[in-house]
């Protein structure tokens, strides 16, 4: 029961903020223009600031664990390519492939990950390391799949194999979230100490990222259209919350990861789909309706599936 209450206290507030956004849209306080502007503002400003802050404040030299970072990176890479390959084979509707792949493999590592670890252990040393190993790849792979699977007219084979490769590369280089992580890494490695005024400014902007993303997500959620895509929503949710951790948590245990490291890996593999998926999908001409549906579903179900995984890990003495 304690585990259930703990998980509900972590995930339900996130879900309820989405509900507030949805209600505000329904009563006319928010409109489609707000959703568009908020998504662009989050994508280009608040999320990069949040990731910069989370990474720049970590003493990387002191806590760095190459084996752990490599596992996070390789696990994220394997999940992405396997899911995209399977989607190419089994998902016939080309218009939803990009959104389906991104929402299936990409976790709420930065938004929910640190909160989960801090709730259990009181501090988060391994969370930022997991972010370093996984989140840059989340964004690089998301740019790749969203670029190649974008819903654009007149994109023939030549565009797919030529123009889109160049476009994907350029999108990676100028992706604000990737730039935020890169600058955060530089600041952490150089142990930069910003004046209090700068620190507070960065922190204030970063604090807007999660609530604003969730409000915009709820306001942009289209219930009837989402219900029409319930099958891919449930399939992506199953991959995100059950199949990934089922396959890779035993590998992590075999490699000797326990405690805070195991919790961070669990968050990487089995936490709900991150709200930034919706922002990127909308900004890169992919299916925002399906993405929002998967985020809402994984957030609602994640309270229960994460409780189950935590119970299993505790029972096995891994946390």
């Amino acid at each position: 029961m304690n585990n259930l209450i703990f998980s509900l206290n972590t995930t339900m507030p996130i879900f309820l903020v989405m509900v507030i956004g949805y209600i505000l849209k329904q009563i006319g306080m928010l409109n489609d223009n707000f959703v568009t502007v908020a998504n662009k503002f989050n994508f280009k400003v608040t999320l990069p600031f949040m990731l910069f802050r989370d990474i720049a404040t970590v003493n990387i030299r002191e806590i760095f664990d190459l084996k752990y970072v490599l596992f996070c990176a390789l696990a994220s890479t394997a999940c992405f390519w396997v899911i995209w390959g399977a989607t190419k084979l089994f998902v016939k509707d080309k218009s939803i492939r990009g959104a389906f792949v991104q929402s299936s493999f990409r976790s709420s590592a930065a938004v929910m990950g640190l909160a989960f670890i801090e709730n259990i252990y009181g501090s988060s040393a391994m969370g930022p390391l997991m972010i370093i190993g996984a989140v840059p790849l989340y964004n690089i792979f998301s740019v790749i799949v969203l670029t190649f699977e974008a819903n654009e007219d007149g994109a023939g084979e030549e565009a797919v194999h030529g123009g889109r490769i160049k476009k994907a590369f350029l999108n990676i280089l100028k992706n604000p979230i990737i730039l935020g992580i890169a600058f955060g890494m530089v600041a952490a490695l150089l142990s930069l100490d910003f004046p209090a005024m700068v620190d507070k400014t960065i922190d204030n902007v970063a604090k807007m990222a999660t609530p604003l993303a969730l409000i915009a997500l709820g306001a942009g959620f289209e219930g009837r259209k989402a219900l029409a895509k319930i099958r891919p929503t449930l399939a992506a949710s199953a991959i995100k919350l059950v199949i990934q951790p089922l396959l890779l948590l035993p590998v992590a245990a075999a490699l000797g990861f326990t405690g805070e490291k195991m919790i961070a890996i669990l968050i990487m593999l089995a936490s709900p789909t991150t709200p930034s998926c919706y922002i990127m999908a909308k900004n890169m001409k992919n299916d925002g309706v399906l993405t929002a549906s998967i985020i809402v579903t994984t957030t609602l179900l994640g309270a229960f599936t994460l409780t189950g995984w935590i119970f299993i890990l505790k029972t096995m003495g891994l946390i």
Side-chain angles (χ1 to χ4, degrees):
M1 180 57 71
N2 287 338
N3 284 345
L4 177 61
I5 293 172
F6 158 74
S7 291
L8 288 172
N9 284 337
T10 302
T11 56
M12 285 309 293
I14 292 174
F15 180 75
L16 291 175
V17 174
M18 294 183 200
V19 173
I20 290 171
Y22 180 78
I23 293 172
L24 292 176
K25 173 72 179 302
Q26 299 308 304
I27 64 175
M29 186 173 289
L30 304 179
N31 57 25
D32 291 334
N33 185 58
F34 167 84
V35 174
T36 300
V37 173
N39 284 332
K40 187 172 291 187
F41 178 65
N42 264 320
F43 181 61
K44 293 187 175 182
V45 181
T46 62
L47 286 171
F49 267 74
M50 183 183 74
L51 290 165
F52 173 86
R53 179 200 62 184
D54 290 344
I55 294 173
T57 54
V58 174
N59 188 336
I60 293 180
R61 292 187 179 90
E62 185 177 308
I63 67 170
F64 191 77
D65 183 334
L66 180 61
K67 178 183 174 183
Y68 177 68
V69 172
L70 282 176
F71 174 82
C72 293
L74 291 173
S76 301
T77 301
C79 289
F80 170 73
W81 290 108
V82 170
I83 291 170
W84 195 7
T87 301
K88 285 283 193 182
L89 290 175
F90 298 111
V91 177
K92 304 303 181 186
D93 185 353
K94 293 181 180 180
S95 68
I96 70 169
R97 285 178 181 170
F100 182 89
V101 173
Q102 184 192 206
S103 302
S104 296
F105 88 92
R106 187 174 179 183
S107 295
S108 186
V111 176
M112 289 184 62
L114 297 182
F116 247 90
I117 298 168
E118 288 170 0
N119 279 346
I120 296 175
Y121 292 101
S123 64
S124 178
M126 291 301 110
L129 275 191
M130 179 268 288
I131 288 174
I132 290 169
V135 173
L137 291 175
Y138 283 165
N139 285 277
I140 290 170
F141 292 148
S142 293
V143 169
I144 291 171
V145 73
L146 293 177
T147 301
F148 276 79
E149 302 289 357
N151 300 322
E152 294 177 335
D153 296 329
E157 287 299 313
E158 184 179 349
V160 170
H161 297 296
R164 288 198 176 187
I165 293 175
K166 180 181 178 181
K167 186 176 180 181
F169 181 71
L170 292 174
N171 282 337
I172 290 169
L173 289 181
K174 63 185 183 181
N175 182 278
I177 296 174
I178 294 174
L179 291 175
I181 294 168
F183 288 131
M185 284 285 291
V186 171
L189 289 170
L190 296 178
S191 300
L192 295 181
D193 188 15
F194 297 107
M197 186 184 302
V198 175
D199 272 336
K200 288 181 179 179
T201 301
I202 293 172
D203 190 54
N204 284 335
V205 177
K207 284 177 180 176
M208 287 190 282
T210 300
L212 186 58
L214 296 173
I215 289 289
L217 176 62
F221 182 67
E222 300 178 66
R224 291 183 180 178
K225 290 182 180 179
L227 285 175
K229 300 182 178 182
I230 192 66
R231 290 181 64 184
T233 294
L234 293 177
S237 299
I239 293 169
K240 183 78 224 53
L241 301 176
V242 179
I243 296 174
Q244 284 188 163
L246 183 65
L247 294 176
L248 289 171
L249 284 178
V251 178
L255 290 172
F257 297 125
T258 59
E260 191 179 339
K261 290 181 180 179
M262 182 61 81
I263 284 293
I265 290 170
L266 173 65
I267 297 303
M268 179 185 74
L269 295 172
S271 68
T273 302
T274 179
S276 58
C277 281
Y278 176 75
I279 297 166
M280 286 188 67
K282 291 289 284 185
N283 275 274
M284 297 183 68
K285 299 180 181 179
N286 280 259
D287 195 327
V289 174
L290 176 61
T291 305
S293 179
I294 294 170
I295 293 169
V296 171
T297 303
T298 54
T299 301
L300 183 59
L301 297 179
F304 304 98
T305 56
L306 280 171
T307 298
W309 288 118
I310 290 171
F311 176 77
I312 292 169
L313 293 176
K314 276 190 173 182
T315 301
M316 298 179 68
L318 295 171
I319 60 173

